[in-house]
Amino acid sequence: MPNAYISGTGFYVPPRVVKNDDLRTQYGIDTTHEWILQRTGIEERRFADEGVGSADLAVPAAQMAVKNAGLQMNDLDMIVFATLSSDHCFPGSGVYLQEKLGLCKGDDAKFVGALDVRNQCSGFIYSLGTAASMVKAGAAKHVLVVGAETHSAALDLTTRGRNVASLFGDGAGAVVVSATEEDRGVRSFKLGADGRFADVLSQKVWDIKKRPFIPQNADGVGQIAPEMMWAQMDGKLVFKNAVERMMRALMEVCVAEGITGQDIDMFFFHQANLRINQYIQQHLGIPDEKVCHNIMRYGNTTAATIPILLAEAEQQGRLKRGMKCAMVAFGSGFTWGAAIVDW
Ligand code: UT7
């Protein structure tokens, strides 16, 4: 059975920078830079322009990952696309990305499978586990795994929505998971979920239990109440569960590998809140030099946080061949996941 390693990384963030103060001055939200910075560590985020969607953001990230893997686009055997801000209700963003990457063009068109993963902030770890399992099983040699989000279109950018709107940003990260006979790659991974908390962080704009699924006015025009339109979150409950679940998931993958936290060279935490990650870091005694953060610059990019971190760390020379890496994420669902990867 081959091993499954990360052969290339890439990322892309849209150019428009939105600083904490811009939320107040440009959008009229009753907030301050100090409030957001103190509670979350966020200083700014990126917002895509109207007309740009998650599959668009994924294109340059995917191209960079494939190039860095030393591959051509048509070497890919599969696309796994993790997002909660899918371009449309259906089809998923994976097929749009496939077409945008040119895989459907020309005589050597390659109609690879395109799978969408809807596990919100844990979407990348779920996708990595899926891709690595496919590669190890011999079902694919090179799987493109993308996490991409266009949150800015679906944030309630008013004071009513400030507890959610101030946290999120747009961006995309990608990795290629490839087969190798070398002794490296994705080792143990652990996925988890607790559906008792499904409503604690949710966006119910689409409700298939209703007839029709979006209420209409007398003219047949869909009408959605703000509490259905926008994401709702019990922040304190999410925070508490994030800390507990991420620590436990990390310990579980370490136990499965027969290692301790001290054996890990680099930690890649989901970037939801710097305070969550600092709490875990302190509790587990992880030194600063082993941790990468980018929430200050990008906010929470959900499924994209970890692949963006990986691509940046590799680009900066912090992440090198032979390092033992831990990745861990938690989010809506609740869902969570952790993985140990020998780079
Ligand atoms: O990827 C997983 C997704 N999410 C998370 O992991 C988020 C986890 N939770 C958190 O990070 C924190 O709960 C938040 C940063 C979201 C909020 O911090 P908090 O200390 O739990 O604040 P809170 O929600 O209890 O709100 C405290 C006050 C409220 O005002 P009142 O009711 O006390 O008058 C909020 O309305 O802060 C207010 N508030 C704000 N004020 C200024 C909420 N958002 C803002 C804001 N600016 N952006």
Side-chain angles (χ1 to χ4, degrees):
M1 199 201 300
N3 283 313
Y5 80 113
I6 295 182
S7 57
T9 61
F11 78 105
Y12 175 77
V13 289
R16 186 151 64 94
V17 176
V18 177
K19 295 189 170 294
N20 288 341
D21 274 335
D22 296 335
L23 294 175
R24 184 168 47 79
T25 55
Q26 287 179 25
Y27 295 93
I29 300 176
D30 180 13
T31 190
T32 60
H33 171 65
E34 290 68 31
W35 193 99
I36 298 172
L37 183 65
Q38 272 173 20
R39 297 285 216 290
T40 70
I42 298 168
E43 294 173 36
E44 60 189 43
R45 75 284 292 138
R46 303 296 179 96
F47 280 1
D49 290 333
E50 186 159 5
V52 175
S54 298
D56 298 308
L57 297 179
V59 170
Q63 286 167 336
M64 191 193 291
V66 169
K67 182 163 178 257
N68 286 340
L71 299 173
Q72 301 296 320
M73 212 43 91
N74 64 4
D75 290 323
L76 296 176
D77 302 309
M78 178 81 191
I79 294 171
V80 183
F81 198 123
T83 185
L84 71 69
S85 47
S86 183
D87 291 66
H88 299 292
C89 286
F90 73 86
S93 289
V95 293
Y96 290 104
L97 177 63
Q98 183 209 40
E99 200 276 328
K100 285 173 193 286
L101 290 176
L103 282 161
C104 309
K105 258 199 221 129
D107 292 339
D108 60 346
K110 199 167 174 193
F111 299 104
V112 300
L115 169 71
D116 276 52
V117 169
R118 294 193 43 173
N119 285 80
Q120 299 71 247
C121 298
S122 329
F124 177 73
I125 305 286
Y126 270 73
S127 302
L128 182 68
T130 304
S133 303
M134 288 185 68
V135 167
K136 287 184 186 185
K141 270 197 179 138
H142 302 290
V143 181
L144 174 66
V145 176
V146 177
E149 306 285 0
T150 316
H151 287 306
S152 55
L155 294 174
D156 181 5
L157 288 161
T158 69
T159 298
R160 179 184 56 204
R162 65 185 177 177
N163 67 323
V164 174
S166 50
L167 307 182
F168 292 92
D170 301 342
V175 303
V176 180
V177 178
S178 297
T180 181
E181 294 306 321
E182 293 173 15
D183 185 20
R184 63 190 292 202
V186 180
R187 307 297 194 186
S188 295
F189 65 88
K190 171 86 190 163
L191 308 177
D194 188 344
R196 291 175 300 174
F197 296 96
D199 289 339
V200 169
L201 174 48
S202 59
Q203 186 174 15
K204 296 184 172 176
V205 58
W206 162 286
D207 188 347
I208 209 70
K209 296 188 295 299
K210 289 212 180 93
R211 302 291 182 272
F213 70 102
I214 290 172
Q216 291 168 297
N217 70 9
D219 298 323
V221 177
Q223 299 208 313
I224 303 172
E227 64 277 15
M228 306 298 287
M229 174 102 179
W230 309 112
Q232 305 293 319
M233 175 176 73
D234 179 343
K236 283 203 185 343
L237 193 56
V238 176
F239 193 111
K240 179 175 169 288
N241 278 272
V243 167
E244 288 172 9
R245 288 295 182 188
M246 284 166 77
M247 282 204 289
R248 198 182 298 178
L250 264 181
M251 285 188 267
E252 281 172 352
V253 282
C254 284
V255 168
E257 281 301 295
I259 58 173
T260 70
Q262 261 133 33
D263 298 312
I264 294 166
D265 300 304
M266 293 287 278
F267 289 82
F268 296 93
F269 293 104
H270 171 52
Q271 305 287 292
N273 186 324
L274 193 61
R275 310 299 164 225
I276 293 177
N277 297 349
Q278 285 171 333
Y279 186 92
I280 297 172
Q281 209 188 316
Q282 270 169 16
H283 207 78
L284 299 182
I286 302 168
D288 284 345
E289 62 272 17
K290 287 190 173 187
V291 182
C292 292
H293 296 296
N294 59 23
I295 190 168
M296 311 74 81
R297 289 175 284 126
Y298 304 142
N300 182 352
T301 56
T302 304
T305 60
I306 294 176
I308 295 177
L309 279 179
L310 293 172
E312 286 191 328
E314 207 173 33
Q315 206 171 61
Q316 292 156 2
R318 288 187 71 189
L319 175 55
K320 297 192 200 86
R321 173 83 206 261
M323 283 184 159
K324 193 174 280 299
C325 304
M327 303 168 196
V328 61
F330 174 90
S332 159
F334 292 145
T335 60
W336 57 89
I340 301 291
V341 179
D342 285 330
W343 206 256

